[in-house]
């Protein structure tokens, strides 16, 4: 099953350019797999844009879930982030044809410790530092990365190691340089937000929950998530900012953008930048070779420095995206009991924009009694005009079921009879029933980092005891041979 309410549809409409999802387990009695979809809002916080419960982790199950997700929201995201699960990977390729699939870098780097390579590489600090710097560099172009990877593998004699060869083959699915042409690619490189969200939901769930308990706990978690967002909105709108510089661009940004929008207004008079910034004042166009705006949709500090030198006093509107603005989600829309009952994503955006336009007008005229009266009069005229069109003799009256659907934000008519069958208890990889057998390399690595007990035979902290001590066994063998 999959569900997403009107608020989650609105979040997806505004913040659904980059999403991630990661399965979590032990949330219900039937061991069904819980799959929440997560996006990043204008405060750089996680928001849920839909959730699913699956009976198993097959390609078919994940494909069905993604198809319903796509049908619900009406458009694909630009970038989808997951772990290396084979079933998820295949499902994403089957359903999201126009989205770029990115693998979680943290999961990949974690596996570096467990691959079957020599012990000396585990303890080689120089290799680990250089390898991490190579793969995490967001400014490195793909062709430069390939050259440096080859040199590093050759230097440490890793050219024939299977794991490194496999990771290089799939480099375009996880290395940052291969995503530089995708908008918002810098917002997410790992599924940490999804895993954090899974942990958040798990605090409200128990493995013995019935589905009814699970859904009640889910609603509680969602309400807490939205309360947090409302508090951040309130803080962002009411905060009095202490300006760090006398620049008008900083004042402008503080008025329209949230605290999550990082404005890089830093002087670089004493430092040399290797990036090239081009500003076309008449066209109000700014380009920097660091491509920070392309990756995160926020101007870089290099651009602000050159803007100051060129006398540009205001950030062009095209560089302040709606997703970072304080009122991207209308406060009235959040509390509206009757939100859009259309499955059309564009329609949901229009409803929210209408609320926002009304709020903005009201904020402007609320302290001017004359203008406020004129605004109220025009609102009444517009209301009467729409009411005359809405209440027509040929219009059918809505049934009770349709009214309930509209109040609850449900887009599918409620059937007259609903049969609920108790799900069968599932056996999935995270349910605790089946456990993956670790490889020899993983066992060796785990043993290498354990705090071992002291062997009374050799007096060292090692992974053996007196009975299996090599020194004692060797000494005993010499005595017998003599």
């Amino acid at each position: 099953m999959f569900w997403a309410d009107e608020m989650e549809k609105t979040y997806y409409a505004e913040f659904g350019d980059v999403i991630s999802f990661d399965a979590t387990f032990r949330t219900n009695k039937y061991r069904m797999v819980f799959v929440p979809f997560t996006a990043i809002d204008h405060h750089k916080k996680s928001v849920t844009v839909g959730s699913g419960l699956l009976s198993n982790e097959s390609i078919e199950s994940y494909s069905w879930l993604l198809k319903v997700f796509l049908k619900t929201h009406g458009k694909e995201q630009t970038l989808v982030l997951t772990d290396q699960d084979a079933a998820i990977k295949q499902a994403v390729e089957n359903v999201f044809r126009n989205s770029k699939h990115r693998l979680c870098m943290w999961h990949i780097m974690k596996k570096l410790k467990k691959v079957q390579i020599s012990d000396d590489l585990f303890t080689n600090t120089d290799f680990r530092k250089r390898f991490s710097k190579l793969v995490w560099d967001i400014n490195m172009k793909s062709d430069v990365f390939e050259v440096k990877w080859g040199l590093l593998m050759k230097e440490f004699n890793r050219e024939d190691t299977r794991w490194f060869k496999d990771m290089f083959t799939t480099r375009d699915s996880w290395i940052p340089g291969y995503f530089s042409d995708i908008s918002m690619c810098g917002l997410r490189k790992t599924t940490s937000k999804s895993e954090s969200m899974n942990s958040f939901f798990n605090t409200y769930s128990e493995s013995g929950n019935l589905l009814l308990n699970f859904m009640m706990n889910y609603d509680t978690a969602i309400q807490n998530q939205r309360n947090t967002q409302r508090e951040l909105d309130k803080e962002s709108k009411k905060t009095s900012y202490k300006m760090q510089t006398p620049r008008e661009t900083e004042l402008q940004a503080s008025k329209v953008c949230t605290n999550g929008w990082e404005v890089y207004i830093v002087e670089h008079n004493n430092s040399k930048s290797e990036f090239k910034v081009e500003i076309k004042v008449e066209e109000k166009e700014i380009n920097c070779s660091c491509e920070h705006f392309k990756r995160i949709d926020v101007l870089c500090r290099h651009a602000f420095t050159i803007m100051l030198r060129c006398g540009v006093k205001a950030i062009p509107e095209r560089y302040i995206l709606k997703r970072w603005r304080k009122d991207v989600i209308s406060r009235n829309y959040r509390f509206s009991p009757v939100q859009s009952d259309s499955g059309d994503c564009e329609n949901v955006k229009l409803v929210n924009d209408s609320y926002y336009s009304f709020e903005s007008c009201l904020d402007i005229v609320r302290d001017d009694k004359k203008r406020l009266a004129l605004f109220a009069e025009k609102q009444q005229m517009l209301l009467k005009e729409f009411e005359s069109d809405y209440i027509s003799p040929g219009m059918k009256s809505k049934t009770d079921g349709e009214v309930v659907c509209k109040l609850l934000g449900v887009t599918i008519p409620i059937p007259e009879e609903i049969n609920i069958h108790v799900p069968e208890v599932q056996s999935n990889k995270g349910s605790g029933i089946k456990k993956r057998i670790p490889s020899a390399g993983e066992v060796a690595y785990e043993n290498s980092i354990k705090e071992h007990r002291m062997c009374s035979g050799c007096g060292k902290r090692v992974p053996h005891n007196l009975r299996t001590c090599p020194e004692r066994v060797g000494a005993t063998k010499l005595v017998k041979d003599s």
Side-chain angles (χ1 to χ4, degrees), residues 431-448:
S431 63
I433 296 179
K434 290 183 179 180
K435 290 188 177 180
R436 183 175 66 85
I437 299 174
S439 67
E442 291 174 332
V443 173
Y445 174 72
E446 292 298 331
N447 288 335
S448 69

Side-chain angles (χ1 to χ4, degrees), residues 195-208:
E195 292 176 13
S196 176
M197 188 59 65
N198 290 356
S199 177
F200 170 73
F201 281 120
N202 285 339
T203 60
Y204 296 89
S205 302
E206 295 180 2
S207 58

Side-chain angles (χ1 to χ4, degrees), residues 146-161:
E146 292 174 7
V147 172
K148 289 191 174 183
W149 175 287
L151 293 174
L152 187 65
M153 294 298 108
K154 185 175 182 179
E155 180 180 344
F156 289 91
N157 196 25
R158 295 294 112 198
E159 296 167 294
D160 297 325
T161 303

Side-chain angles (χ1 to χ4, degrees), residues 285-299:
E285 184 177 338
I286 303 170
N287 293 307
C288 181
S289 60
C290 76
E291 298 183 335
H292 190 275
F293 183 80
K294 181 185 290 185
R295 290 196 306 271
I296 306 182
D297 282 353
V298 177
L299 283 176

Side-chain angles (χ1 to χ4, degrees), residues 190-221:
T190 71
T191 58
S192 58
K193 291 286 187 181
S194 280
E195 292 176 13
S196 176
M197 188 59 65
N198 290 356
S199 177
F200 170 73
F201 281 120
N202 285 339
T203 60
Y204 296 89
S205 302
E206 295 180 2
S207 58
N209 278 346
L210 299 174
L211 290 184
L212 176 62
N213 304 123
F214 171 80
M215 293 306 298
M216 292 175 66
N217 293 336
Y218 175 84
D219 287 340
T220 301

Side-chain angles (χ1 to χ4, degrees), residues 399-402 404-405 412-420:
T399 64
D400 292 342
E402 290 174 324
V404 171
C405 284
I412 303 174
I414 300 175
E416 296 180 0
E417 185 176 333
I418 301 176
N419 295 318
I420 300 178

